Amino acid sequence: MAKDGTIYLVGAGPGDPDLLTLRAARLIEAAGVIVHDGLVDPAILRLAHPQAKLISVAKQRSKHTLPQDEINRLLIAIARNGQDVVRLKGGDPFIFGRGGEEAEAAHAAGVSVEVVPGISAANGAAAAAQISLTHRDAASIVSYVAGQCKGLAEQNWAGLAGKGRTLVIYMGVKTAPQIAEKLMADGLSPSMPVAVIENGARPTMRVLRSSLAGLPDLVEHENVVSPALIVIGEVTARDSALAVVAQEAVA
C-alpha cells in the first residue's frame, strides 16, 4: 500500500519571488503537484519544474473555481495517492488564506501537513510602500480585518482604528464605500489619512492616498483592482511613506 504524501501549505509572500522563504522556494522547485491561488504571481509559478502539474483554484468575488470544501478534498486525494502537494497561497497561509481550514481537513483525514509561513500581504505591501505599521510616535496597535465577508455591516469595528492605531483591511476594494461609512459611523474622523496599496511589493505597485471620507471616490476614480490593501491610520502620512509617492510621481 502506497504511503500517503504530505500537504505543504506554503506562503508565497506578497508577489516578488525574491521575498519567498528558502523553504518555500525549494518546495516549489521540487514539487510534482502545485495547487495555487489566483493571486500567486506568475513569476513564482515559473520557478516550478517544467513537468510539475499546476492546478489553479483561483477565487474571485462570488465566483470560485472550486469551493473550499472541494479544494480540501482535492488536496487530500492527491496526498492519499502517494504524492506530495504544495498548496501555494499569496502572503501567509494562516492570515486570511484559509490555511487553517485546509490543515484541519487534512488532520481529520489523517494526512500529514507542514505549514511554511510567508511574508504576509500586509507586511510586504506596507514595507514596499515604506509605511511602518507601528511607529513609536504614531501607532502601537495593528489590527487586520477582512473587508469582504458575511455580515460586514453587523461587525463591531469600534476601536480598531484611531489615535495610536493602524487598521489594515484585506479584500476591501469592492466594499470601500461600506467600510468608510462603517468606520465614520463608529466615530473615526473623516479626515483620518488612508493609503491604498495596489500590487504591493511588485513592479506595478501603486500607493494611493486619501482621507477616510474620500476613500470610495479614490478607489473608483483610480480603478483600483485586487490585490490591494487599505491601510488606515496616521502612519500612512509619515515622511517615509510620503517619500515613496514622490519617487513614483517622478518615475
Side-chain angles (χ1 to χ4, degrees), residues 39 61 148 169-177 179 194-200 204-210 214-231:
L39 293 181
R61 184 175 173 87
Q148 180 180 309
I169 302 174
Y170 285 67
M171 301 168 286
V173 171
K174 297 296 185 181
T175 54
I179 288 169
V194 172
V196 178
I197 309 172
E198 181 186 72
N199 292 317
T204 54
M205 181 179 78
R206 289 197 297 168
V207 183
L208 306 169
R209 296 179 186 281
S210 171
L215 175 62
D217 287 341
L218 175 72
V219 169
E220 180 181 357
H221 293 159
E222 294 293 338
N223 193 28
V224 177
V225 296
S226 295
L229 290 174
I230 300 170
V231 185

Side-chain angles (χ1 to χ4, degrees), residues 23 28 44 53 96 109 143 155 247:
R23 178 66 171 156
I28 293 167
I44 291 176
K53 183 177 182 180
F96 297 123
S143 299
Q155 291 187 38
Q247 292 167 6

Side-chain angles (χ1 to χ4, degrees), residues 126 129-142 162 164-168 192-195 209 231-242:
Q130 295 191 23
I131 295 173
S132 179
L133 296 179
T134 64
H135 192 290
R136 186 171 61 173
D137 297 329
S140 59
I141 298 173
V142 182
R165 298 171 181 264
T166 302
L167 178 61
V168 181
M192 176 62 72
V194 172
R209 296 179 186 281
V231 185
I232 298 172
E234 295 175 352
V235 295
T236 65
R238 304 289 303 181
D239 287 346
S240 61
L242 295 174

Side-chain angles (χ1 to χ4, degrees), residues 180 183-185 187-194 210-215:
L183 289 170
M184 288 187 290
L188 195 60
S189 170
S191 63
M192 176 62 72
V194 172
S210 171
S211 64
L212 178 60
L215 175 62

Side-chain angles (χ1 to χ4, degrees), residues 51-219:
Q51 296 181 348
K53 183 177 182 180
L54 304 183
I55 303 173
S56 173
V57 290
K59 296 178 181 178
Q60 299 175 356
R61 184 175 173 87
S62 302
K63 181 181 179 182
H64 292 184
T65 301
L66 281 181
Q68 186 61 50
D69 287 347
E70 290 295 324
I71 295 173
N72 297 347
R73 284 192 279 270
L74 172 65
L75 296 173
I76 292 166
I78 294 169
R80 282 185 167 163
N81 194 41
Q83 295 178 282
D84 293 339
V85 53
V86 168
R87 174 68 173 105
L88 194 57
K89 300 170 171 291
D92 182 274
F94 278 8
I95 299 180
F96 297 123
R98 305 188 78 165
E101 297 174 45
E102 293 169 357
E104 289 167 359
H107 287 310
V111 173
S112 176
V113 177
E114 179 182 323
V115 180
V116 180
I119 296 175
S120 72
N123 290 358
Q130 295 191 23
I131 295 173
S132 179
L133 296 179
T134 64
H135 192 290
R136 186 171 61 173
D137 297 329
S140 59
I141 298 173
V142 182
S143 299
Y144 299 155
V145 300
Q148 180 180 309
C149 56
K150 295 180 181 178
L152 176 62
E154 289 74 36
Q155 291 187 38
N156 182 9
W157 287 7
L160 293 184
K163 186 71 175 177
R165 298 171 181 264
T166 302
L167 178 61
V168 181
I169 302 174
Y170 285 67
M171 301 168 286
V173 171
K174 297 296 185 181
T175 54
Q178 295 95 314
I179 288 169
E181 181 180 352
K182 178 181 184 62
L183 289 170
M184 288 187 290
D186 285 343
L188 195 60
S189 170
S191 63
M192 176 62 72
V194 172
V196 178
I197 309 172
E198 181 186 72
N199 292 317
R202 304 186 190 198
T204 54
M205 181 179 78
R206 289 197 297 168
V207 183
L208 306 169
R209 296 179 186 281
S210 171
S211 64
L212 178 60
L215 175 62
D217 287 341
L218 175 72
V219 169

Side-chain angles (χ1 to χ4, degrees), residues 1-42:
M1 191 174 199
K3 180 182 177 182
D4 286 351
T6 297
I7 298 172
Y8 295 94
L9 303 179
V10 178
D16 187 338
D18 286 343
L19 296 179
L20 288 168
T21 65
L22 287 174
R23 178 66 171 156
R26 289 167 180 160
L27 284 170
I28 293 167
E29 290 168 353
V33 182
I34 297 175
V35 177
H36 64 90
D37 286 347
L39 293 181
V40 173
D41 196 283

